[in-house]
Every structure is written in C-alpha cells, then in structure tokens.
Amino acid sequence: MYAVALLDAAFFVPISYIIPPKYALISFGIFGLLIGIIIVPAMRFYENYVLKLIADYGYNLYYISGGIAILLFLLSWLLTIQIYKRKDV
C-alpha cells in the first residue's frame, strides 16, 4: 500500500504542474477514474501471480519492489523539478 501511495503522489505532482489550475479538478477526476479502471485488473493479477511469487521468494521481493517504488518516486520528483524550471512563473 505504501508503494501505491508513493506512485500515486509521483503521478499527481508532475500532472499538477502541467495542467492549468482551472482544469485541475476535472483532470484529477478523470485520472482517478482511470486509476480505478486499472486497479481492478491489477489486483486480479496481483492475486494470481504476485502473491505466488512472494510466497516463493519471500521478503527479498518486498525489498526489491520497495526499492523500485522509491526509485520511481524520485524520478517523478526530478521530472517535476524539470517541468517547474521550464514553466513561466
């Protein structure tokens, strides 16, 4: 769940710099719906494959997936910084 929250924040922050404030509510609503549509098949995949993979490999897989989530979060911050630098203030 921490990884999902980090990735969610990783996508919302750069999007908030790209989209004008007057369209932010609509765009976040659409983004939320898309996430909801994607989550259901992702959870089925998680139940069928990922839980079996975790049972086979144990806690090392948690560390690897946590590291990947943190890496994606840091990359999103770098993207956000680059977008903010190019944005006219």
Side-chain angles (χ1 to χ4, degrees):
M1 291 306 292
Y2 292 119
V4 171
L6 276 175
L7 292 175
D8 190 37
F11 287 110
F12 274 126
V13 172
I15 289 173
S16 68
Y17 284 113
I18 294 172
I19 296 172
K22 63 181 178 180
Y23 298 119
L25 184 61
I26 295 169
S27 61
F28 287 139
I30 291 171
F31 185 72
L33 286 173
L34 289 175
I35 292 295
I37 291 169
I38 293 170
I39 288 293
V40 173
M43 290 307 291
R44 287 193 187 122
F45 175 80
Y46 179 78
E47 290 173 353
N48 293 333
Y49 299 105
V50 176
L51 289 179
K52 291 177 187 173
L53 186 68
I54 290 171
D56 292 340
Y57 291 102
Y59 288 104
N60 290 333
L61 197 59
Y62 283 121
Y63 296 129
I64 292 168
S65 63
I68 291 171
I70 291 171
L71 178 69
L72 288 173
F73 185 71
L74 291 174
L75 287 174
S76 109
W77 274 105
L78 291 174
L79 176 67
T80 302
I81 290 169
Q82 292 302 318
I83 291 170
Y84 187 72
K85 283 181 182 177
R86 293 180 184 173
K87 186 176 181 178
D88 293 330
V89 178

